[in-house]
């Protein structure tokens, strides 16, 4: 029975890889605009801008993050991580973490500058718990980016 789940997770990761590329092409301009506000946050820092992406999927958003960012790609499907590869010329630090938005206990309190979630919060099992986790891991001084279309 467990092999069926593995086959499903592998198949789903391939589907998301293809879908995310199509979606990203269609919404590239809007994503560039939305993610552009991260650049000022990353400028003039001694340390990396620490970003957690909930449901990182195939890593399609990596292209929009500022250089010198540390990205924690959180996803419940470990098969997604084989698709997450930043541009080899990029200065991004990418960390893979298997997990769920409702339980990010591997991430310390008040340790993250930005949390990103695109096309994911609609499918979490407990939205209130997920948002409480986001609040817990974000540093006390932060800004929220929320775009609902």
């Amino acid at each position: 029975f467990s092999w069926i789940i593995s086959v499903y997770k592998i198949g789903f990761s391939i589907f998301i890889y293809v879908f995310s590329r199509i979606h990203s092409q269609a919404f590239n301009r809007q994503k560039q605009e939305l993610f552009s506000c991260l650049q000022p946050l990353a400028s003039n820092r001694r340390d990396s801008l620490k970003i957690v992406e909930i449901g990182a999927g195939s890593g399609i958003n990596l292209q929009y993050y500022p250089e010198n960012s540390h990205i924690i790609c959180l996803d419940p499907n470990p098969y997604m991580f084989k698709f997450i590869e930043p541009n080899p010329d990029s200065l991004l630090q990418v960390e893979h973490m298997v997990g769920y938005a409702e339980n990010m206990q591997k991430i310390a309190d008040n340790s993250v500058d930005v949390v990103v979630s695109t096309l994911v919060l609609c499918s979490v099992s407990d939205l209130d718990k997920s948002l409480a986790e986001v609040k817990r891991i974000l540093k006390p001084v932060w800004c929220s980016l929320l775009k609902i279309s």
Side-chain angles (χ1 to χ4, degrees):
F1 181 72
S2 65
W3 68 271
I4 293 174
I5 293 172
S6 293
V7 169
Y8 168 77
K9 286 183 176 183
I10 292 168
F12 185 74
S13 65
I14 293 169
F15 167 77
I16 290 298
Y17 175 80
V18 172
F19 172 79
S20 64
R21 273 140 186 83
I22 294 168
H23 181 269
S24 190
Q25 286 177 350
F27 291 95
N28 185 51
R29 192 178 90 253
Q30 292 90 339
K31 279 190 164 192
Q32 285 177 337
E33 180 184 326
L34 182 63
F35 282 86
S36 69
C37 65
L38 295 179
Q39 190 60 49
L41 296 175
S43 299
N44 303 318
R45 291 178 66 105
R46 293 184 191 150
D47 58 343
S48 298
L49 182 67
K50 191 168 182 182
I51 301 170
V52 170
E53 183 168 352
I54 299 172
S58 64
I60 196 69
N61 289 332
L62 291 180
Q63 63 187 309
Y64 302 107
Y65 294 128
E67 294 290 327
N68 195 32
S69 293
H70 175 186
I71 317 299
I72 298 174
C73 296
L74 180 76
D75 203 280
N77 185 346
Y79 295 102
M80 296 304 296
F81 298 142
K82 70 179 181 174
F83 296 109
I84 299 178
E85 293 184 21
N87 180 328
D89 299 328
S90 169
L91 298 176
L92 293 178
Q93 304 165 40
V94 177
E95 179 182 344
H96 303 142
M97 186 178 291
V98 176
Y100 295 87
E102 300 88 347
N103 183 359
M104 295 187 275
Q105 294 303 316
K106 295 177 186 173
I107 302 171
D109 295 1
N110 306 315
S111 65
V112 175
D113 299 300
V114 177
V115 175
V116 173
S117 179
T118 56
L119 304 174
V120 172
L121 289 180
C122 59
S123 61
V124 298
S125 63
D126 187 333
L127 182 59
D128 291 336
K129 197 170 183 182
S130 299
L131 293 175
E133 279 290 275
V134 168
K135 183 178 178 186
R136 179 187 66 76
I137 66 172
L138 280 170
K139 291 179 180 176
V141 178
W142 57 277
C143 66
S144 175
L145 303 175
L146 181 60
K147 180 166 176 122
I148 301 173
S149 338

